[in-house]
Amino acid sequence: DVKVTQSSRYLVKRTGEKVFLECVQDMDHENMFWYRQDPGLGLRLIYFSYDVKMKEKGDIPEGYSVSREKKERFSLILESASTNQTSMYLCASNPGTGVRFFGPGTRLTVT
Amino acid sequence: DQQVKQNSPSLSVQEGRISILNCDYTNSMFDYFLWYKKYPAEGPTFLISISSIKDKNEDGRFTVFLNKSAKHLSLHIVPSQPGDSAVYFCAARGGNAGNMLTFGGGTRLMVKP
């Protein structure tokens, strides 16, 4: 069974704070992804990574950065959190094409 | 501009009846389509997929139909069960996005006992 874990289920941060969201997968997948889910907008891709130290921008990268120092770990960083970054954040991985395996999500509230 | 759309934000169905969830897309280069199911406070889980070379794929109670000429796909759940109550996302792969998936906005299905 593929397992994708995220460090926190719920987070509350203040505007301007630096926020780290961690994701770990245990299936040696090359690809890892960060999405955010907002009502009516579905899942939107923030960043993805094909390999260690590789990163590519997704559809909405502004205000975010990522780090992939190890194959199993992909971190999402909010450099200076803002209220419009309040959302559900979902990490996913896959070994090639198609099906992504998702983590349980982190609901981030920025006040 | 949303390339994948789920025009019904919610759907309510009686237990035992058929649930039909719809998805429309605009990019004719999409070659693979997936449906994900999401419960509250959980990540989406893969449900069923279909390649653009097929027009139907079935897995137990779940069937996905693809109409390429209409750029439309649908997910049928028969019979619907209360445990099917969740948000359903369709997703498409291909086109300019290559391996990336483009997701629809989701449809919340409520199956009433």
Side-chain angles (χ1 to χ4, degrees):
Chain A
D1 251 9
V2 175
K3 196 161 184 184
V4 180
T5 56
Q6 295 182 229
S7 51
S8 304
R9 298 299 298 271
Y10 300 94
L11 271 181
V12 179
K13 296 292 182 180
R14 293 188 182 277
T15 302
E17 278 194 82
K18 191 168 185 176
V19 182
F20 293 86
L21 303 181
E22 304 284 338
C23 175
V24 177
Q25 51 97 1
D26 67 357
M27 284 302 292
D28 204 36
H29 288 169
E30 289 83 14
N31 305 325
M32 296 189 75
F33 309 84
W34 274 107
Y35 294 87
R36 61 178 282 177
Q37 181 205 347
D38 300 288
L41 298 178
L43 279 68
R44 293 180 293 166
L45 182 64
I46 305 170
Y47 267 96
F48 61 98
S49 169
Y50 287 131
D51 202 349
V52 175
K53 297 194 186 294
M54 304 273 298
K55 60 184 179 183
E56 296 285 344
K57 292 180 180 178
D59 299 318
I60 50 165
E62 296 78 19
Y64 302 95
S65 62
V66 290
S67 171
R68 193 161 180 207
E69 296 296 320
K70 293 185 177 181
K71 191 173 186 180
E72 67 271 18
R73 188 179 297 269
F74 192 34
S75 303
L76 180 69
I77 303 149
L78 287 67
E79 297 290 342
S80 177
S82 63
T83 55
N84 63 12
Q85 292 179 309
T86 292
S87 186
M88 169 71 85
Y89 288 88
L90 293 160
C91 175
S93 72
N94 78 345
T97 61
V99 178
R100 270 81 161 133
F101 297 91
F102 283 87
T106 297
R107 181 160 295 283
L108 173 67
T109 303
V110 183
T111 61
Chain B
D1 181 32
Q2 280 190 293
Q3 295 190 67
V4 179
K5 283 188 180 179
Q6 294 175 255
N7 290 317
S8 298
S10 65
L11 174 68
S12 183
V13 169
Q14 205 67 35
E15 181 179 5
R17 307 294 289 266
I18 185 171
S19 296
I20 301 176
L21 295 93
N22 294 303
C23 181
D24 296 296
Y25 62 95
T26 58
N27 191 335
S28 58
M29 299 298 291
F30 286 143
D31 63 358
Y32 188 67
F33 303 88
L34 305 90
W35 283 94
Y36 280 86
K37 175 179 176 178
K38 185 182 184 300
Y39 291 118
E42 292 184 16
T45 54
F46 169 71
L47 193 57
I48 192 168
S49 63
I50 188 168
S51 164
S52 61
I53 62 173
K54 295 187 173 182
D55 54 18
K56 177 182 174 181
N57 188 26
E58 196 170 349
D59 183 2
R61 296 186 298 114
F62 302 92
T63 303
V64 56
F65 294 93
L66 175 62
N67 182 335
K68 282 186 293 184
S69 61
K71 295 191 180 68
H72 177 84
L73 66 155
S74 60
L75 174 68
H76 293 211
I77 307 173
V78 184
S80 302
Q81 299 173 353
D84 296 328
S85 298
V87 177
Y88 290 79
F89 293 99
C90 67
R93 185 194 73 189
N96 294 334
N99 183 31
M100 293 297 104
L101 292 182
T102 303
F103 285 85
T107 296
R108 181 176 301 278
L109 173 66
M110 292 164 284
V111 180
K112 297 180 179 178

